[in-house]
């Protein structure tokens, strides 16, 4: 939103500050100023001059020599302007003065253009007469200015006066960034009210009085609202004997500074009131309103309507229309119709000021493809009480400017107005929120400046209807802070009970997964959740595999992104293959991402989203390298027991003899193994690759971050080595389980240090060797203790068909 400072000063006459002071203070009090621009920037030594005599240039056909009276003297100026004549009063830049730019429409020089006395074709010229563009403005701001040529002042302009002041260019236009909740500040009055409170000056709102004639407006127009949920108030007034003419210069200047092109007095008044009060208005030619009746209703599906811009718009039943007895004449809150527009022949005008449902206006503007200044205000939700004030202000301007005769009375169709909000006055709580010690009396003075009324008997604050953003205690505290001054609020420590922020339990486990993976040399990756159904064939999944049942995307980007993934390996193998084909060696990647398992197909409810911890690598390392990473992670999250590994995993995408399910306390928590060679070929991965996947929701139930301190051992340890000849079908995990079971509490550590198969071992067997460490916490172990435990261990191993190696 843009406003001229002169317009603000019309309501805050005592405001006296520099442009930068205004910018800083308003921003600090909450009305953010994005920037500002002085209209008289680079305009110096420019006065009103009167052309007394014009002669032809002796050496140039297109130049003339003018004798110009500037009040104190007469100066000679040579010009090529085609539109000047003797007696014209024009802006004159004196020798050493500056202008902003020229006719070419390009960017204006930052420092302006300095004008110096000189000669044109041998004739002295002591200054320059200016076009409106050379004064840094345009025809939009001064529509009476000629398209090409010198600007001509009215005949009653005083010769020698400051031309910039006469043109109203000693002004500054400020651009604001208004938040959507401050609907009142989408008006000049709202910004002026903020400025008065910010600078501690008196705010003087326009005094609105409408005389009107002795007639009754109800004899001219009837109004009916069929959809009160979309139009809560509709005010209408009638003006007859309309006289179309240019609006006064002060109004044109203010509108142009706000970015609105002046048109004529009638249109300009509606735009002026919209900017001043923030209430959009519309004017209809009453003679085009059939039946002298206004009906506010929804459009019909499939209707077409021609708006003022000449475009045909398609309507539906969600768009609110302004209609007469026979036809639609406007789209409510957006734009009027071609069939009821104001022309130069208009005699009687119907003024409309209404309050429409904000969300509906926003949706309708998108639906019909037309967004206007009016819809931009309506969609934020307007003050219902403001409509009456705005339409009366428009009628007051009609009378003051002699535009027509206002018919007495106003048609006002409305729902019951919402009661004003009342909030308890709680200065102690405001101070507690702000960390301040502001007295209750000072707070009430602040509230009075912004028109919040204090009810001493009820100890409440009554909120005016234009402040729709004040709904609770925190809002009132913010008002105190804004005008007390954020820069005056002291630095304080937070009060009350503080809660230590930390990650949730689930996220702590995931963070540990990242820490361990990165500690072991893995880099994090992120893969797509959307995949192609062809993935299942690349992974050699059987046709009846449950993983082929997927959530299908209804509007996919393409077939390659048409289903939600049910297995996390495709992204991992694709990433490994990309690195391999770019000749990266020893690549290790991990991912924490969801898979999506539908509960039924076709999908009728949300799928089961399961976080998967996926690791993959190729290069240095093997199956046991991956196993070590898994065990390191499980130990870190409190799963102290070693997992078991079931080689009968049956994963089609893994090597048949180099894969295993990871089992913990009888529950499968994941799998690991070498990728099947055929799968590697499918992904163009020309080397052995290893993967592991852990199902995090299952793992979470076994984890703990509780830690118990154990002191340093005081008693010595005893070590024994066991070398065995073991049948090949027996897994080392089974051996370790037996040793742990038979050792009891004195077993401290168990370490596999040798596995051998060869000529010295009989066929069908392998050699396995363990180092076993025993220690007691309360005494030194004796030989008898060790002998008894070793005997139990050997008996258990013997029962498994295992022999000691001789």
């Amino acid at each position: 939103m843009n406003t001229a400072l002169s317009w603000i000063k019309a309501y805050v006459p005592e405001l006296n500050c520099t442009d930068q002071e205004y910018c800083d203070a308003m921003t600090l009090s909450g009305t953010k100023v994005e920037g500002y621009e002085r209209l008289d920037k680079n305009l110096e030594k420019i006065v009103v001059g009167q052309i007394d005599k014009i002669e032809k240039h002796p050496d140039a056909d297109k130049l003339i020599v003018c004798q110009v009276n500037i009040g104190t003297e007469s100066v000679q100026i040579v010009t090529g302007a085609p539109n000047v004549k003797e007696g014209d009063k024009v802006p004159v830049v004196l020798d050493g003065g500056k202008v902003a730019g020229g006719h070419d429409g390009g960017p204006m020089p930052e420092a302006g253009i300095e004008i110096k006395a000189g000669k044109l074709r041998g004739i002295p010229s002591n200054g320059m007469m200016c076009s409106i563009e050379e004064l840094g403005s345009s025809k939009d701001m001064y529509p009476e200015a000629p398209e090409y040529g010198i600007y001509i002042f009215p005949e009653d302009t005083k010769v020698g006066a400051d031309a910039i002041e006469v043109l109203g260019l000693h002004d500054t236009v400020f651009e604001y960034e208004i938040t959507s909740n401050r609907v009142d500040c989408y008006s000049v009055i709202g910004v002026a009210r903020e400025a008065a409170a910010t600078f501690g000056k008196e705010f003087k709102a326009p005094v609105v009085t409408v005389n009107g004639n002795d007639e009754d407006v109800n004899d001219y127009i009837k109004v009916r609202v069929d959809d009160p949920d979309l139009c809560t108030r509709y005010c209408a007034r009638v003006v007859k004997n309309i006289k179309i003419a240019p609006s006064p210069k002060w109004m044109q200047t203010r509108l142009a500074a706000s970015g609105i092109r002046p048109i004529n007095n009638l249109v300009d008044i509606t735009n002026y009131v919209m900017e001043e009060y923030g209430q959009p208005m519309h004017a209809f030619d009453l003679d085009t309103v059939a039946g002298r009746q206004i009906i506010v209703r929804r459009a019909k599906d499939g209707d077409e309507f021609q708006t003022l811009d000449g475009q045909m718009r398609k309507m539906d039943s969600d768009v609110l229309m302004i209609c007469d007895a026979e036809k639609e004449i406007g789209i409510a809150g957006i734009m009027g119709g071609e069939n009821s527009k104001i022309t130069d022949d208009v005699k009687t005008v119907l003024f409309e000021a209404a309050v429409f449902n904000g969300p509906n206006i926003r949706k309708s503007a998108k639906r019909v493809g037309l967004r206007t200044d009016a819809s931009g205000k309506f969609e934020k939700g307007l003050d219902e009480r403001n409509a009456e004030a705005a339409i009366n202000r428009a009628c007051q301007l009609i009378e003051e400017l002699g535009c027509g005769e206002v018919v007495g009375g106003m048609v006002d169709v409305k729902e019951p107005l919402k009661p004003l909000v009342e909030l308890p006055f709680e200065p102690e709580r405001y101070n507690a929120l702000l960390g301040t010690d502001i007295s209750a009396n000072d707070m009430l003075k602040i509230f009075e400046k912004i028109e919040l009324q204090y009810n001493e008997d009820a100890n409440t604050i009554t909120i005016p209807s234009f402040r729709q953003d004040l709904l609770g205690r925190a809002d009132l505290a913010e008002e105190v802070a804004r005008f007390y001054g954020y820069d005056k609020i002291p630095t304080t420590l937070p009060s009350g009970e503080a809660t230590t922020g930390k990650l949730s339990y689930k996220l702590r486990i995931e963070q540990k997964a990242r820490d361990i993976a990165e500690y072991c040399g893995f880099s994090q990756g992120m893969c797509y959740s959307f995949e192609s159904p062809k993935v299942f064939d690349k992974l050699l999944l059987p046709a009846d595999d449950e993983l082929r049942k997927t959530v299908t995307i209804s509007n996919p980007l393409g077939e390659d992104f048409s289903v939600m993934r049910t297995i996390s390996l495709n992204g991992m193998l694709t990433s490994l293959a990309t690195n391999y084909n770019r000749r990266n060696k020893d690549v290790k990647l991990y991912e924490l991402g969801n898979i999506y398992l539908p509960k039924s197909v076709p999908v009728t409810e949300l799928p089961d989203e399961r976080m998967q911890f996926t690791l993959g690598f190729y290069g240095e390392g093997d199956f046991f390298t991956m196993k070590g990473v898994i065990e390191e992670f499980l130990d870190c999250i409190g799963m102290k027991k070693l997992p078991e590994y079931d080689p009968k995993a049956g994963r089609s995408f893994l090597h048949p003899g180099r894969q295993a399910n990871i089992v913990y306390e009888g529950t499968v928590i994941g799998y690991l193994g070498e990728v099947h060679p055929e799968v590697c070929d499918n992904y163009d991965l020309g080397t052995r690759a290893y993967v592991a996947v852990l199902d995090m929701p299952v793992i979470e139930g076994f984890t703990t971050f509780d830690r118990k301190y154990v002191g340093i051992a005081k008693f010595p340890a005893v070590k024994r080595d066991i070398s065995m000849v073991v049948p090949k079908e027996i897994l080392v995990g089974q051996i370790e389980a037996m040793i742990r079971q038979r050792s009891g509490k004195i077993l401290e550590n168990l370490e596999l240090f040798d596995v051998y198969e060869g000529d010295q071992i009989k066929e069908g067997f392998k050699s396995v060797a363990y180092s076993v460490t025993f220690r007691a916490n309360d005494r030194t172990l004796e030989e008898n203790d060790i002998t008894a435990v070793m005997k139990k261990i050997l008996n258990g191993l013997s029962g498994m068909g295992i022999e000691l190696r001789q």
Side-chain angles (χ1 to χ4, degrees), residues 431-437 489-495:
N431 279 322
L433 280 172
L434 300 174
T436 55
D437 188 20
I489 297 177
T491 302
T492 58
L493 293 173
S495 60

Side-chain angles (χ1 to χ4, degrees), residues 541-542 545 646-656 659-661:
L541 292 180
D545 197 296
D646 180 7
K648 299 178 181 178
R651 311 279 175 173
S652 59
F653 43 81
L654 297 179
H655 193 292
Q659 62 171 284
N661 280 336

Side-chain angles (χ1 to χ4, degrees), residues 282-299:
H282 191 69
F284 299 100
D285 185 342
L286 188 59
D287 293 331
T288 66
V289 178
R292 296 292 179 98
Q293 185 177 11
I294 291 291
I295 302 172
V296 184
R297 61 168 176 78
R298 294 173 184 264

Side-chain angles (χ1 to χ4, degrees), residues 265-295:
N265 51 4
L266 195 61
V267 176
D268 291 352
I269 285 172
T270 60
N271 286 332
Y272 185 87
V273 173
M274 180 176 72
E275 292 299 305
E276 185 180 40
Y277 277 77
Q279 170 67 52
M281 295 182 59
H282 191 69
F284 299 100
D285 185 342
L286 188 59
D287 293 331
T288 66
V289 178
R292 296 292 179 98
Q293 185 177 11
I294 291 291
I295 302 172

